[in-house]
Amino acid sequence: MQSSVYGKGTPETTVHDAFGNVAREFPDRAAVVSSDRTVTYAELAAESRRIAGHLVGLGVRPGSIVPVVARRSPELAAALLGILMAGGAYGVLDARWPASRTARLLHDMRSPVVLTDASGAARLDGAGIDHTTFDALRGTTSGTRQVDLPEVSPDSCATLFWTSGSTGSPKAVMSPHRATTRLFTPHGFMDFGERPVMIHAAAVAWDAFSLELWSMLLNGGTAVTHQDDLLLPPAIRTYVRDAGATHLFLTPSLFDVIAGGDIDCLRGLRAVLLGGDRPSPASCAKFLDAHPDIELYNGYGPVESCVFATVHRITEDDTQRASGIPAGLPVPGTELHVVRDGTTVPRGETGEIAIGGSGLALGYLNAPAQTSAAFRNVSTTGADPEEVPVYLTGDLGRLDDSGVLHFAGRKDTQIKISGHRIEPAEIESAIHALGSARSVALPIPDRSGTPRIILFAEKPAEVITEREAQERLRETLPAYMVPAKVHFVSSMPLLENTKINKRELSARFGYSS
């Protein structure tokens, strides 16, 4: 059987129960720190329980999905734990997203309550959507009677992650408690060491947010929240010096910028974790040369397997591999297969990467057809063949003789920009809504080699300029999906099979393909 399973037999638990164990062991330790506030584990546990009691009173029950429109903060951490304690699952929406997108996702969640911070409240007030603020929760829960909280199974949904949809609409991935706790409870995918401190800067709707927050709160560490949208070298240096930061997650694109500029800002960290795209061997080599005492990891995994499915500690030898930096070995509780036509292939052969185990998502919210297409059974080969449930990633890869995964690209049109998984169809659907009959979104690197989205579209019937089209797209798409450039064409160049000739389009506007 071409699979590897690590950590089976490790007791499964819920996120909030695992947090509660840590809070009882380290009540006075800093859990979440912001620029103006430090919250201890004891304070966070008490606040979370008060919020949970109030949410039960508002109708949150096991199976409820509670939207949260907010930015990173200690208050957000308390709200998320409160939702989990009440038996619900949380879906965090970025307060910067366009109001129309937020409204659509809120409708899909069908929640009895919507929680917000000040930035989220401003967004929803403008859209006329009812909500309850963190401040209101704090004011009404203090002094209320204790409420019995429900027992929650580790198999229950804990969080929703949003990923771009091939049908033109975002998909909500339902991730269970066990998917998170398999990574961050004892015997997880890495040893964070004594009193780790993680810089908490990931986008709230992304699974890297879970990595930064729960890796700390389930291990007795401290999450230091970054307030600004971008994490730049001066801030990293300050967090290491003033907050004692030990761990940092970076997308490979940001890592490239830092490696090519102020690489010294990382000095003092224990470990840097990369994920969301393929790391540059040149940047990794430069980092290892500059910081031989800092651990460098590459993590691979779609949100359907929560944060990481495989992890590899990068060595100097890896930077010389013709196949690039390895994706690594499976993390605890994860089964890894390489399949073709629904059956596993021998090691060394390339096929589609399929992921199973306790990290597997429960499917997509309100999307049974998409769920059944992506979550399937595959047949293993070998002495004990069996049918195993997996998520078919659409990624290509191979397992070497040691069981290490090597990534080999995509089998479809999906692209990665700054760690975000993007379906071009969602961007193309947005320009079609403006009246364009035909379009294609392509990832085209700039002069530094960094990929960016370029959109080619037949001009909409209504008279708008390319720049106006780009601004209109900002009203419906999150910032990371807005094309860097829009080009109008009178008609699309086609191949003999009537598909759009992407190479000719790129060349017409001076892009190398």
Side-chain angles (χ1 to χ4, degrees):
M1 183 171 78
Q2 302 299 322
S3 65
S4 300
V5 184
Y6 286 72
K8 282 209 163 179
T10 299
E12 293 184 342
T13 185
T14 62
V15 172
H16 54 283
D17 282 344
F19 165 78
N21 293 336
V22 175
R24 284 187 288 275
E25 186 174 0
F26 306 114
D28 299 324
R29 186 174 291 183
V32 186
V33 174
S34 65
S35 59
D36 60 353
R37 188 179 177 205
T38 295
V39 178
T40 67
Y41 275 87
E43 291 168 338
L44 185 57
E47 180 68 10
S48 301
R49 186 172 181 88
R50 285 195 294 270
I51 290 173
H54 189 57
L55 291 175
V56 169
L58 291 175
V60 174
R61 298 289 183 269
S64 297
I65 297 173
V66 180
V68 184
V69 186
R71 297 178 70 94
R72 296 175 298 271
S73 69
E75 292 75 19
L76 175 57
L80 301 186
L81 281 164
I83 292 167
L84 298 177
M85 289 177 182
Y90 64 82
V92 189
L93 306 179
D94 197 317
R96 299 166 298 172
W97 282 355
S100 59
R101 180 185 179 90
T102 299
R104 184 166 70 250
L105 297 178
L106 291 175
H107 177 267
D108 290 343
M109 284 183 275
R110 303 168 187 169
S111 174
V113 61
V114 177
L115 303 184
T116 66
D117 65 1
S119 62
R123 169 69 67 180
L124 298 192
D125 284 342
I129 298 172
D130 290 339
H131 56 88
T132 299
T133 65
F134 295 164
D135 285 343
L137 280 178
R138 186 178 302 112
T140 54
T141 56
S142 58
T144 58
R145 65 180 178 84
Q146 288 287 321
V147 175
D148 290 333
L149 300 178
E151 290 290 327
V152 180
S153 166
D155 295 329
S156 300
C157 185
T159 184
L160 264 62
F161 299 119
W162 275 266
T163 184
S164 183
S166 58
T167 61
S169 296
K171 293 183 296 189
V173 179
M174 299 185 293
S175 184
H177 284 263
R178 53 178 160 74
T180 295
T181 56
R182 90 194 200 281
L183 294 170
F184 306 130
T185 45
H187 312 295
F189 75 91
M190 69 176 289
D191 181 3
F192 287 92
E194 286 295 316
R195 304 191 75 147
V197 178
M198 175 80 83
I199 299 173
H200 186 28
V204 293
W206 195 20
D207 59 344
F209 173 90
S210 284
L211 165 65
E212 294 172 349
L213 183 65
W214 301 125
S215 69
M216 294 298 99
L217 297 188
L218 305 190
N219 278 286
T222 302
V224 180
T225 57
H226 179 63
Q227 305 296 318
D228 298 330
D229 292 341
L230 297 177
L231 180 66
L232 299 174
I236 296 173
R237 183 176 279 104
T238 298
Y239 291 133
V240 173
R241 183 190 66 227
D242 297 345
T246 59
H247 290 72
L248 172 64
F249 170 82
L250 295 170
T251 62
S253 57
L254 181 53
F255 180 66
D256 288 344
V257 171
I258 292 172
D262 188 3
I263 197 169
D264 193 60
C265 74
L266 303 174
R267 190 173 305 280
L269 292 169
R270 289 184 206 162
V272 173
L273 297 87
L274 307 177
D277 209 341
R278 302 181 74 173
S280 158
S283 294
C284 292
K286 187 170 184 179
F287 172 88
L288 293 170
D289 182 61
H291 302 297
D293 296 330
I294 302 178
E295 298 174 3
L296 182 63
Y297 293 89
N298 179 33
Y300 160 79
V303 294
E304 286 85 353
S305 187
C306 190
V307 185
F308 292 146
T310 65
V311 169
H312 179 76
R313 182 170 176 182
I314 301 171
T315 66
E316 208 171 307
D317 289 344
D318 293 326
T319 66
Q320 305 301 316
R321 291 176 182 267
S323 57
I325 305 297
L329 288 167
V331 301
T334 299
E335 302 173 24
L336 187 64
H337 311 268
V338 175
V339 304
R340 192 183 307 122
D341 299 324
T343 303
T344 57
V345 302
R347 288 188 175 179
E349 291 191 17
T350 298
E352 183 174 7
I353 301 169
I355 301 170
S358 57
L360 204 61
L362 304 174
Y364 301 116
L365 179 67
N366 303 328
Q370 289 179 301
T371 297
S372 61
F375 294 85
R376 308 283 288 274
N377 286 343
V378 298
S379 302
T380 64
T381 56
D384 264 331
E386 58 179 332
E387 293 280 313
V388 294
V390 298
Y391 167 68
L392 295 171
T393 65
D395 291 332
L396 299 174
R398 63 177 176 84
L399 293 171
D400 65 20
D401 290 339
S402 300
V404 173
L405 177 66
H406 298 264
F407 185 77
R410 287 289 300 176
K411 61 178 290 189
D412 57 21
T413 59
Q414 191 183 95
I415 58 179
K416 284 278 188 76
I417 300 290
S418 298
H420 294 281
R421 198 171 92 191
I422 296 172
E423 294 284 358
E426 188 169 350
I427 301 169
E428 293 157 8
S429 177
I431 193 70
H432 295 167
L434 297 181
S436 177
R438 207 164 191 181
S439 65
V440 61
L442 299 177
I444 295 178
D446 60 18
R447 291 183 179 180
S448 69
T450 302
R452 54 186 180 153
I453 302 171
I454 306 297
L455 178 64
F456 304 93
E458 293 179 353
K459 188 173 182 179
E462 62 178 281
V463 180
I464 58 175
T465 66
E466 293 169 342
R467 182 176 293 276
E468 287 170 337
Q470 189 180 40
E471 290 305 311
R472 293 278 293 277
L473 290 173
R474 293 186 194 279
E475 298 173 4
T476 57
L477 296 173
Y480 64 87
M481 291 181 67
V482 176
K485 186 76 175 176
V486 176
H487 294 293
F488 285 152
V489 297
S490 56
S491 62
M492 287 288 174
L494 303 178
L495 298 167
E496 289 184 4
N497 62 4
T498 73
K499 292 184 178 180
I500 294 174
N501 189 331
K502 298 175 182 178
R503 186 180 297 275
E504 182 180 327
L505 266 180
S506 298
R508 183 185 299 182
F509 290 93
Y511 299 109
S512 58
S513 54

